[in-house]
Amino acid sequence: GAVVSQHPSWVICKSGTSVKIECRSLDFQATTMFWYRQFPKQSLMLMATSNEGSKATYEQGVEKDKFLINHASLTLSTLTVTSAHPEDSSFYICSARDRGLDSTDTQYFGPGTRLTVL
Amino acid sequence: KQEVTQIPAALSVPEGENLVLNCSFTDSAIYNLQWFRQDPGKGLTSLLLIQSSQREQTSGRLNASLDKSSGRSTLYIAASQPGDSATYLCAVSSGGSYIPTFGRGTSLIVHP
């Protein structure tokens, strides 16, 4: 199956700093990528939809100025957590959408990034 | 708005038992349904993907069924092993958006 990578896998930062997380589709082109957030013992909550070459679409309640998303190429989307605070500590997971030649539409998930803000 | 519910929330069984995990959804106009496994502190591992036109999928000791009319899917794990211990997530992609809605998962512990 298709592979999606994330970098870094974990990061610890001081409050007030910005952190960038990368999501890459390794063997397919993804015009659409998604960013999720997962709190401990909770399910995944969609934060935003990242579209190559256009602005991201944010879910209700997600601050677009705090969570900057850039989908600069068909294989890379980045999420930047600006001015991070301890409450931003969470597990961030991306997924990439692969539209197959057989008309299937499948999302492939990255391994996640654990962010801890001190 | 699609809502996905997973029952039970937690399950602890002895090794060797056959298990059934349940997933229900409110909107039957789905595109596909996917079962994932998540180990503590890790990302998602896709187990089985069922397209809306399919009734079930099998992979090794895992079998997932889909009944759109009743809004249900089950994940059957045969002869459970301690290595099966993880959280199992059900995700439903509804027609139109293709964006999956996740359930809260079933936390499974298989003890020796």
Side-chain angles (χ1 to χ4, degrees):
Chain A
V3 178
V4 175
S5 70
Q6 278 185 243
H7 178 80
S9 56
W10 60 269
V11 57
I12 301 174
C13 69
K14 293 182 178 180
S15 184
T17 60
S18 294
V19 175
K20 179 184 285 187
I21 303 171
E22 293 185 349
C23 177
R24 293 182 184 272
S25 57
L26 298 185
D27 49 5
F28 67 100
Q29 293 183 335
T31 55
T32 306
M33 292 184 174
F34 303 90
W35 287 96
Y36 296 83
R37 183 173 181 175
Q38 186 180 35
F39 291 103
K41 299 188 183 299
Q42 299 292 319
S43 190
L44 278 72
M45 298 300 296
L46 179 66
M47 298 175 64
T49 301
S50 171
N51 299 298
E52 187 267 339
S54 65
K55 292 183 178 181
T57 303
Y58 290 82
E59 295 300 298
Q60 190 174 7
V62 178
E63 300 176 57
K64 61 180 181 180
D65 294 332
K66 180 167 188 60
F67 298 99
L68 301 179
I69 292 174
N70 188 331
H71 195 154
S73 76
L74 289 173
T75 59
L76 173 65
S77 176
T78 60
L79 169 67
T80 301
V81 183
T82 62
S83 187
H85 288 98
E87 57 265 31
D88 298 325
S89 299
S90 188
F91 195 54
Y92 293 87
I93 301 178
C94 75
S95 69
R97 182 179 179 185
D98 183 18
R99 288 180 164 175
L101 296 176
D102 57 354
S103 300
T104 57
D105 193 313
T106 306
Q107 286 196 30
Y108 296 94
F109 286 80
T113 296
R114 171 74 59 192
L115 171 63
T116 302
V117 184
L118 303 176
Chain B
K1 180 183 177 183
Q2 180 74 273
E3 294 182 5
V4 180
T5 304
Q6 290 188 246
I7 295 174
L11 188 60
S12 179
V13 300
E15 181 178 6
E17 276 202 9
N18 299 324
L19 309 172
V20 175
L21 307 182
N22 298 292
C23 172
S24 61
F25 46 93
T26 55
D27 184 355
S28 61
I30 70 171
Y31 186 75
N32 60 41
L33 183 146
Q34 198 160 0
W35 284 93
F36 294 90
R37 168 184 174 142
Q38 185 176 32
D39 293 288
K42 303 293 185 181
L44 304 180
T45 299
S46 178
L47 298 174
L48 291 165
L49 169 66
I50 310 177
Q51 302 291 348
S52 63
S53 59
Q54 298 173 324
R55 296 279 297 183
E56 65 176 349
Q57 284 287 332
T58 298
S59 176
R61 294 183 293 108
L62 304 179
N63 175 277
S65 67
L66 173 64
D67 184 345
K68 287 193 302 180
S69 61
S70 65
R72 294 179 182 177
S73 175
T74 59
L75 178 66
Y76 177 81
I77 303 176
S80 59
Q81 302 171 358
D84 295 330
S85 299
T87 296
Y88 291 81
L89 293 166
C90 169
V92 179
S93 294
S94 300
S97 71
Y98 307 112
I99 299 174
T101 301
F102 284 83
R104 297 185 66 167
T106 293
S107 178
L108 172 65
I109 296 176
V110 181
H111 48 87

